Amino acid sequence: SDEELRYLYVMFVKFQENGKTRIGDPLRMAVDILVKGLPLQQKAGEVSQDLVVMSSYHSVVADIMPKETLLWKLEMLKSASAYANSRLHAVKAQTLIISSGKDQLFPSQEEGERLRHALSKCQIRKFNDNGHFLFLEDDIDLVTIIKGTSFYRRGKYHDYVSDFIPPTPDEFRKIYESNRGICVATGPVMLSTLEDGKIVRGLAGIPSEGPVLFVGYHMLLGLELTPLVCQFMIERNILLRGIAHPLMFIRLRDGLLPDLATFDTHRIMGAVPVSGTNFYKLLSSKSHVLLYPGGMREALHRKGEEYKLLWPDHSEFVRMAARFGAKIIPFGAVGEDDIGQVVFDYDDLMKIPYFKAQIEALTSETIKLRTDANGEIQNQDIHLPGILPKLPGRFYYYFGKPIETEGRKQELRDREKCNELYIEVKSEVEKCIAYLKEKRETDPYRNLLARLTYQATHGSTNEVPTFQI
């Protein structure tokens, strides 16, 4: 009725009035008040006044909605709910469920899980620390959620390259803030090479215009990725489009792997599933592409394999790079042995029946790559090695001189020439790693405590020095 609509409107206005975006979660509302620097006494008075005003409407509700009317409406709701539930199986459209963990009005998470299993093409995103009025809360952005779940598309099917929308400054800020800890703990040092061959600190040697293909070494668990991608955005405003394992994008079935929501940030930052088609599209769009030929086998290496390149025997990227005249930049990353040591690797785990069964179950949940490969890179089983953490040392990155492929398209069609360039790139990556391993020994700020002491005396915004280049 008109009276009911007016009542609901007044209630809604009261909930969103003055930017009160934490209704239903008093603790977070109090935190908001403190963060925004508002007088707590003033704010508490406003909330109390709102509650008094809202309570004055109770008698109005009793008049316009007597008990009998309420019961009749609940019966209608029950009937409509049964009708809808009986037809959920017929819904074939792609569906996204968004649920709150602190919803004090409805059992959002329980209902979300029920719908996720009832709908055939459904994803769910859970916001455990948020209340009922999810989209009125400051840290929730529906557009960001849609981008992170890869639901935005221009055509019938989602295209990871053409449908990609770069992160906004606010989105990147939130991502960086949530990952600031690893950047501070590892104190990344970035070195690049200018056209004349001079090595400089920073990313001045990185070409601004693409296509550029970065080819490098994958640290244990891919730990180098976060500082690397963040520093490129901060220093050069360059977005690295990583070619990633399909487990970040699709599941063959539910199981032990982390929920897809774990990788929403990677998708927001431009990661695409590995495929020749996506590689082609990225280079054709003049992107800065990040490629690890060693893939998961390199990121989940065994004991004693630190800084060992586990690449395929033959090129998988040279011809494609030459087709678009992309600059190939070999790079090395060092520092994984300064933050942890593998004490229980894949070979150890596979000797224990319980862990072997878990590895087989994990691997079966997603697409397996390089099934026809031979040698060291053949085994791409998914597992989590046992790692003994250390007091964090420092990460070092060295980007070698760009290798030009412009004008070499015809030349690199020859298999032998193509393989020669592939070996050259691999050799340059190994040289970058060797250079960093040697030079870091002279870095007085390699240790975390030394870096924290420097920042405490010189200011947290000052760049911590490193070895002499």
Side-chain angles (χ1 to χ4, degrees):
S1 67
D2 291 342
E3 290 82 0
E4 289 172 304
L5 289 175
R6 280 195 293 271
Y7 169 75
L8 291 174
Y9 175 74
V10 170
M11 293 285 283
F12 176 75
V13 169
K14 284 296 172 185
F15 275 127
Q16 65 173 349
E17 185 180 70
N18 296 327
K20 299 187 189 75
T21 59
R22 302 293 185 190
I23 298 298
D25 190 346
L27 179 60
R28 296 192 70 184
M29 184 175 175
V31 171
D32 263 2
I33 291 171
L34 294 175
V35 169
K36 293 177 180 178
L38 301 174
L40 189 59
Q41 184 176 3
Q42 172 191 340
K43 244 3 205 179
E46 292 179 7
V47 173
S48 301
Q49 184 179 1
D50 283 348
L51 293 174
V52 172
V53 173
M54 290 164 62
S55 64
S56 68
Y57 286 97
H58 291 171
S59 60
V60 179
V61 176
D63 291 337
I64 65 176
M65 193 182 295
K67 178 181 177 181
E68 293 77 11
T69 302
L70 181 59
L71 290 174
W72 174 72
K73 291 194 172 188
L74 289 174
E75 285 299 321
M76 284 187 63
L77 181 61
K78 182 179 179 181
S79 175
S81 177
Y83 179 86
N85 287 328
S86 67
R87 286 158 175 78
L88 285 177
H89 67 278
V91 178
K92 304 301 181 185
Q94 191 180 15
T95 312
L96 177 63
I97 303 294
I98 301 174
S99 64
S100 301
K102 294 185 178 180
D103 189 340
Q104 298 180 10
L105 297 181
F106 299 120
S108 294
Q109 292 210 341
E110 292 84 351
E111 184 66 5
E113 282 296 329
R114 184 185 74 83
L115 290 172
R116 184 173 73 90
H117 290 95
L119 298 168
S120 60
K121 297 178 182 178
C122 182
Q123 289 190 48
I124 188 170
R125 291 297 181 269
K126 301 176 183 178
F127 296 88
N128 297 324
D129 296 325
N130 299 90
H132 179 74
F133 297 92
L134 188 66
F135 295 133
L136 295 181
E137 300 195 12
D138 291 339
D139 58 346
I140 299 298
D141 188 327
L142 180 57
V143 174
T144 303
I145 296 172
I146 291 173
K147 289 163 66 175
T149 52
S150 300
F151 264 58
Y152 175 75
R153 63 190 187 206
R154 295 180 174 89
K156 186 176 182 180
Y157 301 103
H158 178 77
D159 187 304
Y160 287 99
V161 178
S162 62
D163 288 336
F164 176 68
I165 301 175
T168 64
D170 186 59
E171 287 172 338
F172 174 71
R173 178 186 59 79
K174 291 179 179 178
I175 291 171
Y176 177 71
E177 289 297 328
S178 65
N179 291 281
R180 181 187 288 271
I182 187 173
C183 295
V184 171
T186 58
V189 175
M190 302 278 174
L191 307 177
S192 61
T193 310
L194 302 179
E195 291 185 1
D196 60 4
K198 182 181 178 181
I199 302 173
V200 295
R201 184 170 186 183
L203 301 173
I206 303 301
S208 300
E209 298 296 326
V212 179
L213 178 61
F214 298 88
V215 184
Y217 167 73
H218 223 350
M219 272 194 200
L220 182 66
L221 302 180
L223 294 171
E224 82 287 349
L225 280 169
T226 298
L228 173 62
V229 173
C230 288
Q231 193 62 32
F232 264 74
M233 284 291 290
I234 292 171
E235 187 174 336
R236 293 294 307 276
N237 195 30
I238 291 176
L239 182 64
L240 294 180
R241 303 293 305 275
I243 296 179
H245 195 283
L247 69 82
M248 297 183 181
F249 306 88
I250 192 172
R251 293 285 187 277
L252 299 180
R253 61 181 180 84
D254 291 337
L256 301 174
L257 283 175
D259 192 270
L260 282 176
T262 308
F263 306 105
D264 283 1
T265 297
H266 296 72
R267 291 187 287 272
I268 292 172
M269 292 301 293
V272 304
V274 58
S275 75
T277 301
N278 286 333
F279 189 30
Y280 177 96
K281 290 179 178 179
L282 286 174
L283 292 178
S284 65
S285 63
K286 298 184 178 181
S287 301
H288 287 72
V289 184
L290 182 60
L291 176 67
Y292 293 101
M296 182 174 290
R297 176 61 182 86
E298 201 167 78
L300 298 177
H301 58 66
R302 320 292 193 250
K303 288 180 289 188
E305 291 182 341
E306 297 86 356
Y307 311 122
K308 179 181 179 181
L309 269 57
L310 301 169
W311 288 17
D313 294 331
H314 302 289
S315 166
E316 294 183 340
F317 59 84
V318 172
R319 287 186 181 179
M320 190 75 79
R323 179 168 186 166
F324 295 97
K327 295 179 177 67
I328 299 176
I329 298 184
F331 75 94
V334 167
E336 66 172 76
D337 54 337
D338 273 352
I339 63 172
Q341 179 181 354
V342 177
V343 294
F344 213 62
D345 65 13
Y346 174 81
D347 296 331
D348 298 322
L349 294 169
M350 290 297 284
K351 294 175 183 177
I352 303 173
Y354 172 78
F355 291 116
K356 180 180 179 180
Q358 276 203 325
I359 291 172
E360 291 172 350
L362 282 169
T363 305
S364 69
E365 293 172 20
T366 188
I367 299 171
K368 194 171 183 179
L369 302 175
R370 291 172 172 167
T371 54
D372 58 345
N374 297 314
E376 292 179 316
I377 68 161
Q378 181 182 23
N379 193 335
Q380 295 284 344
D381 287 349
I382 301 171
H383 68 285
L384 184 63
I387 302 172
L388 181 66
K390 301 178 180 179
L391 186 67
R394 200 170 196 181
F395 281 180
Y396 303 86
Y397 303 79
Y398 173 28
F399 298 89
K401 188 176 180 180
I403 299 173
E404 295 284 351
T405 65
E406 184 71 41
R408 302 181 65 183
K409 181 178 178 181
Q410 294 299 325
E411 173 193 351
L412 293 174
R413 282 184 176 178
D414 180 79
R415 186 181 298 273
E416 186 175 338
K417 293 289 185 181
C418 184
N419 197 49
E420 286 177 2
L421 182 56
Y422 178 69
I423 294 173
E424 179 186 348
V425 173
K426 184 177 181 181
S427 176
E428 288 298 318
V429 173
E430 290 173 332
K431 289 178 182 178
C432 290
I433 292 173
Y435 175 85
L436 292 173
K437 288 175 67 178
E438 178 185 353
K439 297 294 287 186
R440 69 173 175 172
E441 297 296 332
T442 62
D443 184 0
Y445 300 100
R446 180 176 171 183
N447 184 275
L448 174 63
L449 296 179
R451 296 197 301 276
L452 292 177
T453 301
Y454 181 90
Q455 290 183 321
T457 56
H458 294 79
S460 59
T461 58
N462 284 355
E463 187 177 59
V464 180
T466 186
F467 53 75
Q468 189 72 29
I469 299 175

